[in-house]
Every structure is written in C-alpha cells, then in structure tokens.
Amino acid sequence: MHDEVDRLVEAWRTERPDLDVQPLQVLSRVSRLARHLDRARRAVFAAHDLEPWEFDVLTALRRAGTPYELSPGRLLRATLVTSGTMTNRIDRLAAAGLVERHPDPADKRGVLVRLTVAGRTRVDAAFADLLRREHDILDGLDEKERDALAGLLRTLLLPFDGPDGP
C-alpha cells in the first residue's frame, strides 16, 4: 500500500538522485498528519464555539486544578504567546464570560485569571469531543504501536522542548 508521501519520495528520487530524500519518509508524513489533525481540531473547537487559541487558554486554566486560575504570566508561558497577546486574549475571554480576573492575594498589584463555570463547561465538553476524535485518528494502531509511536515522537521533540531548545 502506497500513500502520497511514497509517490513524492519516488518522484524526488527520480528527479534528484543525488539527494538523500529519506527524511521525507518521516517528516512529510508528520507534516501531513499535523494538517489533518489541525483540521479535525478546528472542527471540534468550532462545534463548541471556540477558537484554537481560546481552547489553549481555557485548557491551561482547567489543567491548573481547583480553583482553575493562573497568573497572566503563567498563562503566557503555558501558551507560548507574548504578554500583549495574552492580555488581549484574557480580555476577549472575560467579555465572553469564560474567565474572570481576580486580585492576587499574594501580590497586591497582580491579578489571577479564573475559569468561570461557563468556561469550564465549554472546555470540558470540547476536550471530551477532541479526545474522541483523536482516538478515531489513532484507531488504525494498536496500543503497542501507539506507545512506540509516542516514544519515537518524544525522542524527536525533546531537543525542541528542552531548556536549550529553539
């Protein structure tokens, strides 16, 4: 059985036999899978009236545990955005009633962003649907294959996610 990557690798081997196109075997598949996954995720988020960035912020708060709150600084580190972007996102989520700002009792000048009941309900439903969709995507692999793939991908990602990563 051949996929689109097999066809493009073969075409490159014909056109550029002087190049080692082996990385395409893995990385083009990862790239194509990422695009399919992005489409599936966007569809799930849209079904719950969420943008991907909203889901990122809400899930960061939800993962924080009761009382589901973080400082804006912790949120921007969790979501890898700038402080200006995070302020805008918090403003928009607060206007939608999904988060609230509260004074930080440990820092008189600081605030904490807290997930509202509506925000928690929305993100919990979206997350459950997302997991169902992602289970469907992985359905062609058995548990051992899923574990092996997760381990291999972890090995590839560690240099990027570590303290010295890009």
Side-chain angles (χ1 to χ4, degrees), residues 8-9 26 29 31 52 73 82 91 111 113 128 131 133 143 164:
L8 77 88
V9 166
V26 174
R29 286 187 174 95
S31 177
T82 65
D91 289 345
V111 297
V113 179
L131 287 177
R133 182 67 184 110
E143 187 174 349
D164 298 328

Side-chain angles (χ1 to χ4, degrees), residues 42 45-46 48-63 75 79 86 88-99 115 119 122-123 126:
R42 287 179 181 277
F45 302 153
H48 292 276
D49 196 26
L50 289 172
E51 293 292 330
W53 67 264
E54 291 172 312
F55 183 82
D56 288 347
V57 174
L58 296 176
T59 55
L61 291 167
R62 182 66 170 95
R63 288 189 313 267
L75 275 173
T79 59
M86 183 52 65
N88 180 274
R89 289 178 176 186
I90 293 167
D91 289 345
R92 291 173 66 185
L93 290 167
L98 301 175
V99 302
L115 199 57
R122 176 120 29 118
V123 76

